[in-house]
Amino acid sequence: QVQLVESGGGLVQAGGSLRLSCAASGIPFSMYAIGWYRQAPGKQRELVAGISKSGSTNYADSVKERFTISRDNAKNTVSLQMSSLKPEDTAVYYCNARLFTPRCMDFLSECGHWGQGTQVTVSS
């Protein structure tokens, strides 16, 4: 019954902007930390940005000052505003919801609930 649905991906030129959204259901959303991850062809999945239940945020060095993660607990959604996009940002972007527990201690642990992903393609 847990469902995470990403939307907002598409094709954009380098230097452009895109806003991704993740809609969650089946969980007490306000209690969960949410992360955005991405996976490019031939590469490992990597953390892009995370936001805690209290609203604290962290970002990969490669996207700092360009991407912003935010959450709206009333709507059970998390957004990723992406600006100054680069071709190397091209990837499938996934959202993940998790409770921080001893088994799932941070955003780098393999745990939580995953969405199906949305494709972001940045042309040069």
Side-chain angles (χ1 to χ4, degrees):
Q1 291 187 321
V2 177
Q3 189 172 40
L4 302 174
V5 180
E6 301 95 335
S7 61
L11 175 64
V12 64
Q13 292 184 331
S17 298
L18 211 57
R19 184 179 179 89
L20 306 183
S21 181
C22 175
S25 61
I27 59 171
F29 180 80
S30 64
M31 302 301 296
Y32 279 68
I34 310 295
W36 281 100
Y37 301 75
R38 67 187 181 189
Q39 187 167 29
K43 299 187 67 176
Q44 296 279 76
R45 185 170 60 199
E46 64 174 346
L47 175 69
V48 177
I51 186 166
S52 74
K53 67 178 183 179
S54 66
S56 298
T57 60
N58 47 65
Y59 299 90
D61 287 342
S62 60
V63 308
K64 284 181 178 177
E65 311 303 326
R66 299 191 298 119
F67 291 10
T68 301
I69 188 171
S70 60
R71 66 190 298 160
D72 186 340
N73 287 342
K75 296 182 178 180
N76 286 7
T77 59
V78 170
S79 295
L80 185 69
Q81 178 65 50
M82 306 185 294
S83 300
S84 301
L85 284 162
K86 306 173 180 179
E88 50 262 47
D89 295 319
T90 295
V92 177
Y93 284 70
Y94 301 88
C95 65
N96 172 279
R98 63 186 59 194
L99 292 171
F100 288 138
T101 68
R103 186 184 62 84
C104 190
M105 293 185 293
D106 56 32
F107 286 111
L108 299 181
S109 300
E110 186 63 37
C111 51
H113 304 284
W114 293 93
Q116 293 298 307
T118 186
Q119 176 72 48
V120 172
T121 303
V122 184
S123 62
S124 60

